[in-house]
Amino acid sequence: AILSWLRGGTAITTVGASMIFAAVSGSGAATISAIGGITVPEMLKKGYSRGFTAAMSAGAGSLGPIIPPSVDMIVFGCITGFSISRLFVGGIIPGFIIGLSLMIYCYIYAKKRNIDYGGKFRGKVVWAAFKDSIWALLMPIIIIGGVMGGAFTATEAGAVACVYGLIVSVFVYKSMSFKDFINVLRSASVNMAMVMMIIGFSSIFSYIFALEGMGQKIVDFMLSITTSPTGLFFLVIAFMVVIGCFMESLAALPIILPIIYPMFASLGVNLNQLGVVFALSTVLGGLTPPVGIYLFLSMNLTGSKMRDTVLPHMLIVIGIMLLVIVLCILLPIPQFLPDLVFGAAT
């Protein structure tokens, strides 16, 4: 209701809805599946190409690991011991920059092809939609506001959000039956088991790495190229993009972080900045083949082909991501909001 009247409104709504859903699920794959399943058919009806629709669905869904609560940031905090709350808050500004940039790209695409124009803002429609959705919209506010306000930790926020979502679904919207509830529990158990298995086997891989001294060899190799923190940041991004082409990001985190984190900590790098940049760099792996889980999920939804999706649309989305990563390295964007909310990290 707020965005659909704009030129490119259906695509812009896809990005906006993905940003909100990312603030509930923390997962890129979940965001693409949930939001893409609704908006992809509408985008195709409005005249968007299958390639553009797939690229935008993947790009918008990839905000899941960036906008809090992010699963990747939770894993980062669990492995390193760094404050998950600070990482959450640090991802807000980069996530909004990426979201706004994708919306601008949607506008330019629709304007150039003269498609998808609602033409008039309707305040009454917005107010009616707001009243209907207010209980659902409160969930990301409860999660992010509770963490930022110190009411509960990031882990407790997940539990509070689950209970709140259950109450609203059953008693307010009355959209969840007992059978649905059992299916939700089953799905959550399967997903959690998958994540824990990935982390468990990755820990074995990390142990082998440590036993063979691979971590120190990698660190020595990087330091032989440059000792500049900025230069090391760019090396890590390149490394993560290559790793992300062959491994799922959650599987890569427990292997790479024990090697990279101590090196940056010893150089006095702002660790809030490192965590956010690391989360951003894992997203790139999800958008690039051959693994590219975000890319292939969206292509499956739209029925598009690789050549129509990657060239040129996905390259533009990846370019936006890279630009934001570079800005987060060169400017104190990731640490600005956490320092404002929690005070400067020691």
Side-chain angles (χ1 to χ4, degrees):
I2 293 174
L3 301 173
S4 61
W5 63 278
L6 295 165
R7 173 73 73 179
T10 308
I12 292 173
T13 298
T14 299
V15 178
S18 296
M19 292 172 71
I20 294 174
F21 196 85
V24 175
S25 70
S27 166
T31 302
I32 293 170
S33 299
I35 302 300
I38 300 169
T39 59
V40 161
E42 295 300 317
M43 287 182 66
L44 295 176
K45 287 180 187 176
K46 295 286 186 179
Y48 294 94
S49 70
R50 291 185 183 276
F52 176 86
T53 303
M56 191 51 57
S57 180
S62 69
L63 293 169
I66 302 168
I67 293 179
S70 160
V71 175
D72 287 25
M73 289 180 182
I74 291 172
V75 175
F76 183 99
C78 290
I79 293 172
T80 62
F82 190 76
S83 169
I84 297 174
S85 299
R86 292 188 68 94
L87 292 173
F88 278 3
V89 178
I92 293 175
I93 295 178
F96 271 89
I97 294 174
I98 293 171
L100 182 61
S101 301
L102 291 176
M103 289 180 181
I104 292 171
Y105 178 38
C106 293
Y107 173 83
I108 294 171
Y109 181 93
K111 181 78 172 176
K112 187 177 179 180
R113 288 158 181 78
N114 195 29
I115 59 173
D116 191 15
Y117 184 46
K120 187 178 180 181
F121 178 80
R122 296 174 176 84
K124 290 183 179 179
V125 175
V126 174
W127 177 244
F130 176 75
K131 287 193 294 183
D132 184 54
S133 61
I134 181 63
W135 293 102
L137 290 171
L138 282 174
M139 182 180 279
I141 295 174
I142 289 171
I143 295 171
I144 299 171
V147 171
M148 290 178 65
F152 37 71
T153 66
T155 305
E156 292 165 349
V160 170
C162 284
V163 173
Y164 176 80
L166 178 63
I167 292 171
V168 170
S169 296
V170 174
F171 298 107
V172 179
Y173 293 118
K174 299 179 180 178
S175 59
M176 182 181 288
S177 64
F178 181 74
K179 183 179 179 181
D180 293 330
F181 179 63
I182 297 301
N183 289 333
V184 167
L185 291 179
R186 184 184 294 113
S187 175
S189 301
V190 169
N191 288 333
M192 182 54 64
M194 178 185 69
V195 171
M196 295 309 295
M197 285 180 68
I198 288 172
I199 293 175
F201 282 108
S202 297
S203 298
I204 297 173
F205 197 26
S206 299
Y207 173 75
I208 296 171
F209 256 56
L211 199 64
E212 297 297 325
M214 289 299 297
Q216 190 58 48
K217 290 176 183 177
I218 293 173
V219 169
D220 291 342
F221 172 72
M222 288 186 172
L223 291 175
S224 69
I225 297 175
T226 179
T227 56
S228 164
T230 302
L232 289 170
F233 261 123
F234 285 109
L235 276 177
V236 168
I237 291 168
F239 189 49
M240 285 303 299
V241 169
V242 173
I243 290 291
C245 289
F246 303 99
M247 292 181 69
E248 208 279 325
S249 63
L250 280 179
L253 285 173
I255 297 171
I256 306 303
L257 273 179
I259 300 169
I260 302 300
Y261 187 82
M263 178 180 68
F264 278 97
S266 66
L267 293 171
V269 171
N270 186 290
L271 300 177
N272 216 131
Q273 182 185 25
L274 173 64
V276 174
V277 169
F278 207 85
L280 286 165
S281 64
T282 61
V283 166
L284 290 176
L287 295 173
T288 53
V291 173
I293 185 171
Y294 304 148
L295 174 63
F296 287 108
L297 270 174
S298 61
M299 286 174 58
N300 183 56
L301 283 173
T302 59
S304 64
K305 296 180 179 179
M306 181 73 71
R307 64 175 180 271
D308 300 325
T309 305
V310 175
L311 293 172
H313 308 300
M314 186 56 76
L315 290 180
I316 293 175
V317 172
I318 291 172
I320 290 171
M321 297 285 183
L322 284 171
L323 178 60
V324 173
I325 290 174
V326 171
L327 288 175
C328 287
I329 291 173
L330 300 179
L331 301 173
I333 295 174
Q335 57 265 41
F336 170 74
L337 206 53
D339 287 352
L340 195 65
V341 174
F342 302 109
T346 56

